[in-house]
């Protein structure tokens, strides 16, 4: 299912760019890379902005839990998640 959408847009930072393990919560639900320009759905799943915008061209539901989703419902990441992203160390 995700493969068709991945062809449209591939964003996110490769996990290999970072030192140590990256928390699963900091990975995009679509591309499975580290969040880049992240946004969060009301269901609390997080995505790279470009990944979810590409997904929502053809879909109206969250790719993880299939709840209704629209561009207007996307919000910035929770502060603690944003802080965790900012604290990742690049190789």
């Amino acid at each position: 299912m995700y493969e068709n959408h991945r062809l449209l847009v591939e964003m996110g930072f490769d996990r290999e760019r970072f030192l140590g393990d990256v928390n699963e919560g900091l990975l995009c639900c679509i591309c499975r890379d580290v969040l880049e320009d992240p946004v969060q759905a009301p269901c609390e799943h997080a995505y790279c902005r470009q990944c979810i915008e590409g997904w929502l061209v053809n879909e109206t539901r969250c790719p993880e839990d299939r709840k209704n989703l629209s561009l207007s419902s996307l919000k910035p990441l929770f502060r603690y998640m944003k802080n965790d992203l900012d604290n990742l160390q690049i190789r």
Side-chain angles (χ1 to χ4, degrees):
M1 172 167 69
Y2 299 124
E3 291 80 20
N4 292 338
H5 295 282
R6 193 174 173 115
L7 294 175
L8 295 174
V9 174
E10 189 166 327
M11 201 168 179
F13 297 110
D14 187 348
R15 289 185 238 183
E16 300 302 316
R17 292 180 60 182
F18 300 91
L19 294 174
D21 292 331
V22 176
N23 182 315
E24 185 78 16
L26 301 179
L27 303 180
C28 175
C29 294
I30 296 173
C31 71
R32 303 305 299 158
D33 285 330
V34 177
L35 293 164
E36 182 176 351
D37 191 15
V39 291
Q40 193 165 20
C43 57
E44 298 185 4
H45 292 112
Y47 320 91
C48 301
R49 180 179 303 278
Q50 204 169 10
C51 290
I52 195 61
E53 286 178 356
W55 175 269
L56 291 173
V57 166
N58 298 308
E59 302 288 342
T60 59
R61 298 185 181 275
C62 171
E64 287 291 298
D65 60 20
R66 310 303 295 157
K67 291 183 180 177
N68 287 334
L69 184 59
S70 67
L71 283 175
S72 62
S73 67
L74 299 174
K75 304 288 184 226
L77 279 186
F78 291 131
R79 183 181 306 145
Y80 73 87
M81 290 177 69
K82 180 74 172 121
N83 289 344
D84 287 348
L85 269 177
D86 291 342
N87 288 329
L88 290 176
Q89 295 181 336
I90 297 174
R91 289 186 192 272

